[in-house]
Amino acid sequence: MTLRQLEILRAVMRFETTMAAARHLGMSQPAVSNAIRQMELQSGLALFERVNNRLFPTEAARLVQEESDPLFAMYAALDKRLKDLREDKVSRLHILSTPPLGHGVLPLALQRFTRHHPRLRSFFHVRELDDVIKAVEAGTTDLGFGLGMSPHPALQMEPLFEGRMVCVCPHDHPLARVEVVTPADLAGHGFVALEAGTRMGAAVRRAFADLHQPFTFTVEVRYCETACVLAAAGLGASVVDPFSPSGLAGGGLMVKPFEPVIPSVAYVFWSARRQISPTARRFLQEIRDVLAQTTAVLRGQH
């Protein structure tokens, strides 16, 4: 049976006459009667008993109705979802971010945004930058967030915050008393380095090389968040992006300016091949507001 035939069957069972069912469905009475006859021929079952111009469902008809209930529940849910979308009551937002922003300001912005948009369905994941870029390019993600982006022909990009990398160390570390940390200050202390193959790791190594300062480390890690965890555990100082120390991983750390200055720019980006959705545009304003409130704290690290 088709969905339309099932709809007619259910209407006749509800109203008990083909005339009333026809009015409910916006059909003619002969069309409803013909549909019932066709269903009975197709199924080889008697679906109704006719008594005094009324139609009473047989056990077979009741069984068909019960089995079709989930189909109509799904249909009703889909119809409601489409209506909500038309009225902008339900929206979806797909976000990908690299760890510094994904474990820092983005959760705060998403929490605030969700509070003001309770029917929002969000999909938020933290990935490496190359994976974030690929997903945005493919159109499977509304917004991507990352640090140290280069111009990309398939992406629209907007800088959200322009800062610099910082030095982190425990409060009882000798460098905690230094106003501005340099590569020379790090000599003789344990150092948690970022991988050479990462953008930030390579930038820190260049800063040492430019000052002809030997680059040595105690531990090498891939992510700034990991470097903050290890620094807080006493393995040494580290040079990281300005966002990671503000997260849970940076609890108990001193944050000091690092020179020579290594720029750390946070970007939001989206596909250049598609228009940014109204929901994504509203969330983008939310993240701008959150960054505006936290900028003073981040600037204070410099």
Side-chain angles (χ1 to χ4, degrees), residues 110-128:
L110 190 59
Q111 186 271 335
R112 287 177 34 165
F113 193 68
T114 302
R115 188 171 68 244
H116 296 124
H117 300 81
R119 303 196 65 178
L120 174 72
R121 302 292 180 266
S122 301
F123 303 85
F124 174 48
H125 300 284
V126 176
R127 299 283 188 269
E128 293 193 8

Side-chain angles (χ1 to χ4, degrees), residues 74-92:
M74 292 172 61
Y75 176 81
L78 175 60
D79 188 58
K80 185 177 185 302
R81 178 70 58 83
L82 292 173
K83 181 180 178 182
D84 286 343
L85 287 172
R86 285 195 300 271
E87 296 176 359
D88 200 27
K89 290 182 178 178
V90 172
S91 51
R92 292 172 178 262

Side-chain angles (χ1 to χ4, degrees), residues 103-104 243-251:
H103 293 156
F243 296 95
S244 294
S246 63
L248 293 176

Side-chain angles (χ1 to χ4, degrees), residues 206-233:
R206 282 196 300 272
F208 275 72
D210 289 345
L211 296 178
H212 306 289
Q213 183 69 34
F215 184 84
T216 59
F217 58 85
T218 307
V219 186
E220 185 181 69
V221 299
R222 185 167 187 81
Y223 300 112
C224 290
E225 184 180 35
T226 310
C228 288
V229 171
L230 296 184

Side-chain angles (χ1 to χ4, degrees), residues 246-275:
S246 63
L248 293 176
L253 287 175
M254 289 291 290
V255 181
K256 295 288 184 174
F258 178 78
E259 289 185 358
V261 172
I262 304 175
S264 182
V265 183
Y267 287 92
V268 60
F269 48 96
W270 57 93
S271 173
R273 300 186 183 94
R274 54 187 290 193
Q275 188 173 7

